[in-house]
Amino acid sequence: MPTALTDSTSHNNNDSQLQNDSIQSTLLKHIEEYPGLRYRQLLRLTNIVNGVLSYHLKRLEKSNQIRVNRSRSKETRYYPINTSDEEFDIIGYMRNEPSRRIISYLLELQSCTFNEIVEYTDKAPSTTSWHLKRLIDGGIVSVRYHRQHQVYELTDGEVVAETLYKYKDRIADKILDNYTHIIDSL
């Protein structure tokens, strides 16, 4: 009789392990496909229950299968294990439309004034200022004075360009398409 109970317990443990492996495999696939995902984005993409998602992300992090970037602004993003430190912030900022537009504009022009950025992004000056401050604090953008004007430029345009090229198909468009689809279905 104890062997039947042991066999049943063993079978349940195997099923549970297979389910855990499947969930973690799904998470790894999404994180690889969309580096820099936030927790809520993973919830939407996977339809995994909140507590289960949290449990598996912690296990993946502890087993060094993913990298997690927790910023000072309490924003947590999940990355493939092979993502470099330099790529963390760049990818994170590129997932935000106003920041992405600012970075793209600076890549194109090398340097520009605040008013040029406001005009290009078509955002309010206060919104543009907020995003620029975040990019400066993150070390992506720097400010210098030129003829009594503040001029903004990328701190390391080459690293930004390389990161964008490396992740160009995975940074923004697919996530935006998913959100559009979700909103349209409501």
Side-chain angles (χ1 to χ4, degrees):
M1 198 68 142
T3 53
L5 182 60
T6 305
D7 288 345
S8 174
T9 303
S10 176
H11 181 68
N12 288 340
N13 286 342
N14 287 341
D15 286 348
S16 178
Q17 185 59 44
L18 286 173
Q19 185 177 15
N20 286 343
D21 290 347
S22 174
I23 291 171
Q24 289 178 11
S25 176
T26 298
L27 291 173
L28 286 169
K29 182 185 102 191
H30 284 299
I31 291 168
E32 180 67 35
E33 192 171 348
Y34 309 115
L37 280 173
R38 290 183 304 201
Y39 186 84
R40 291 228 179 261
Q41 292 168 321
L42 278 167
L43 274 173
R44 288 183 195 115
L45 283 172
T46 62
N47 292 320
I48 297 173
V49 178
N50 190 8
V52 174
L53 178 62
S54 178
Y55 169 80
H56 286 288
L57 287 171
K58 285 177 186 172
R59 289 199 52 192
L60 288 170
E61 181 182 9
K62 285 182 181 181
S63 65
N64 292 318
Q65 294 184 60
I66 61 171
R67 292 188 69 183
V68 180
N69 186 12
R70 293 175 179 85
S71 69
R72 285 176 260 144
S73 64
K74 298 185 182 183
E75 183 176 83
T76 303
R77 292 188 179 273
Y78 300 91
Y79 296 86
I81 194 68
N82 61 347
T83 306
S84 74
D85 292 339
E86 293 173 325
E87 294 168 340
F88 270 170
D89 286 333
I90 295 168
I91 293 169
Y93 289 116
M94 290 304 288
R95 290 197 165 281
N96 178 286
E97 192 268 332
S99 294
R100 181 173 55 249
R101 288 185 54 84
I102 292 168
I103 292 169
S104 298
Y105 192 57
L106 291 173
L107 263 174
E108 184 181 325
L109 294 183
Q110 308 292 308
S111 65
C112 55
T113 66
F114 178 77
N115 289 337
E116 291 171 323
I117 295 171
V118 169
E119 185 177 324
Y120 178 77
T121 60
D122 198 29
K123 298 289 182 190
S126 59
T127 301
T128 303
S129 177
W130 186 83
H131 286 284
L132 274 171
K133 182 179 180 338
R134 287 186 65 224
L135 289 167
I136 291 166
D137 290 348
I140 307 297
V141 172
S142 60
V143 182
R144 65 180 172 83
Y145 286 91
H146 180 70
R147 297 184 186 155
Q148 298 180 341
H149 288 85
Q150 284 186 329
V151 176
Y152 297 87
E153 54 195 13
L154 294 172
T155 304
D156 192 340
E158 190 173 313
V159 169
V160 171
E162 287 172 8
T163 301
L164 293 179
Y165 182 77
K166 180 177 177 181
Y167 293 100
K168 68 182 175 192
D169 296 330
R170 298 184 279 167
I171 289 181
D173 294 334
K174 291 179 182 179
I175 294 297
L176 294 174
D177 289 345
N178 282 339
Y179 286 157
T180 303
H181 177 70
I182 290 167
I183 291 169
D184 288 343
S185 67
L186 294 177

